[in-house]
Amino acid sequence: DRPALPAPVSLTPVGIIESDFPDKFGIPRQPGLATAARATLVLVPPYDDPLTVRGLSAFSHLWLTFVFHQSPERWTPLVRPPRLGGNTRVGVFASRSTHRPNRLGLSLVELIDIDTSRGVRLTLGGVDLVSGTPVLDIKPYLPWAESRPEARAGFAPGTPPTLAVGLSPEAEAVLARRPDGDKLRELIRQVLAQDPRPAYRRGAEARIYGVRLRDVDVRFQALEVPDGPTRLEVVEI
Ligand code: SAM
C-alpha cells in the first residue's frame, strides 16, 4: 500500500541573486564551468541578520538551494538533457534539468566575500544562476563528507567539450577601455567555450548570436575552421 501523501510545504527565500547573467541564455550548465562568473547573494529580512553568517567565512565553498523561478511549474517524468543532444529522454530525477517538481536547484559555488556593513551580501564565484533567482538555503561545503571523485556520473561523465573562442580587434578595443576588461574577457571566453547555442545548432552558421553578460551584449558567430572544430568569434561587444 502506498504511503500517505505528505502535506505540501511552503518555503520562503532567504536571499536573491544578482549575477553576471541577466538572461538564462548563455549560462553554463553547471557552476564550475564559468569560474569567472560573479554574483552577489543579497539576504532578505529577517535572514539578513549578520548573526546568520557568523563563522561562514571560514568555508571556501557553499551549497545554494534555490528555485528555478524562470522555469514553468509543470513538470514531466521524462526530460531531454542537452548533454545527450536534446533528443534522448531520461527520467527527470536522472537529470539536472531546470524543469522538475518543486523546481529546486542545487549549486556548489565559491564564497569570495561577506559584507555585513548593510544587511548581509555574499560575493560568490562560479555561479550558474540568472539574476533574480530566489535562494532558499545556504550551507557550507564539507569536502571530506561530500567530495566523491570516484562516483559514476552516468551520461555526464565529465566536463562538456569546449570550443575555441576568438575576439575581434573591435571587441578587444572595448575590453581595453574597461577597468574589468580582463575579468570580462575571461568570463566571455568561459561562457562561449561552452557553445551556448541550442543543442541542435552545431557547426558554422552565418547567424549572429547575442548573449548578455554583466552590462554588455556580446555578439558572436560560429566560424568554420578548415581542418578543425568550429570556432566562436566575438564580433562585437
Ligand atoms: N547547478 C544547478 C543544479 O544542478 O541544480 C543548476 C543546473 S541547470 C542545468 C543550470 C541552468 O539553469 C543554467 O544554464 C540556466 O540556463 C538555468 N537557470 C539558472 N537560473 C535559473 C532560474 N532562476 N530559473 C530557471 N532556470 C535557471
Side-chain angles (χ1 to χ4, degrees):
D1 55 348
R2 296 170 74 149
L5 279 185
V9 295
S10 73
L11 300 172
T12 308
V14 300
I16 301 290
I17 287 282
E18 296 168 359
S19 81
D20 279 340
F21 303 112
D23 308 317
K24 277 193 306 183
F25 178 66
I27 303 180
R29 310 300 300 163
Q30 287 299 331
L33 298 173
T35 52
R38 289 290 175 272
T40 303
L41 170 51
V42 182
L43 299 196
V44 297
Y47 313 101
D48 60 342
D49 176 341
L51 295 178
T52 62
V53 294
R54 180 187 292 180
L56 186 60
S57 58
F59 296 87
S60 63
H61 290 75
L62 308 175
W63 287 113
L64 298 185
T65 306
F66 60 90
V67 179
F68 287 116
H69 77 299
Q70 289 191 6
S71 290
E73 301 222 16
R74 61 172 166 65
W75 62 280
T76 53
L78 289 174
V79 294
R80 294 187 293 179
R83 176 70 80 104
L84 293 177
N87 291 317
T88 310
R89 298 196 297 177
V90 299
V92 62
F93 296 140
S95 81
R96 300 294 281 257
S97 170
T98 60
H99 291 50
R100 52 190 327 109
N102 300 307
R103 300 188 294 167
L104 289 183
L106 177 67
S107 289
L108 180 59
V109 300
E110 182 187 358
L111 174 60
I112 293 172
D113 182 54
I114 302 180
D115 173 5
T116 55
S117 59
R118 45 197 172 94
V120 177
R121 301 166 70 87
L122 307 182
T123 303
L124 307 173
V127 296
D128 54 348
L129 305 178
V130 73
S131 271
T133 297
V135 172
L136 298 175
D137 197 9
I138 305 161
K139 293 173 188 268
Y141 171 62
L142 306 175
W144 53 270
E146 298 177 290
S147 169
R148 287 281 184 273
E150 76 282 6
R152 281 181 299 113
F155 57 80
T159 50
T162 56
L163 290 185
V165 177
L167 287 95
S168 67
E170 297 77 11
E172 282 291 2
V174 169
L175 293 174
R177 291 194 295 272
R178 289 177 62 110
D180 67 341
D182 290 343
K183 276 289 174 205
L184 184 54
R185 179 187 299 102
E186 191 184 0
L187 177 62
I188 290 170
R189 284 189 178 283
Q190 288 179 351
V191 166
L192 293 196
Q194 300 297 317
D195 196 352
R197 296 176 298 159
Y200 59 87
R201 296 258 189 202
R202 288 296 173 255
E205 289 179 83
R207 179 172 170 175
I208 301 276
Y209 287 86
V211 58
R212 290 201 305 160
L213 295 174
R214 280 193 197 154
D215 58 339
V216 295
D217 185 9
V218 179
R219 327 268 309 144
F220 68 94
Q221 195 173 20
L223 304 178
E224 204 54 66
V225 174
D227 53 0
T230 306
R231 197 167 75 93
L232 296 190
E233 175 84 2
V234 175
V235 291
E236 189 185 3
I237 295 179

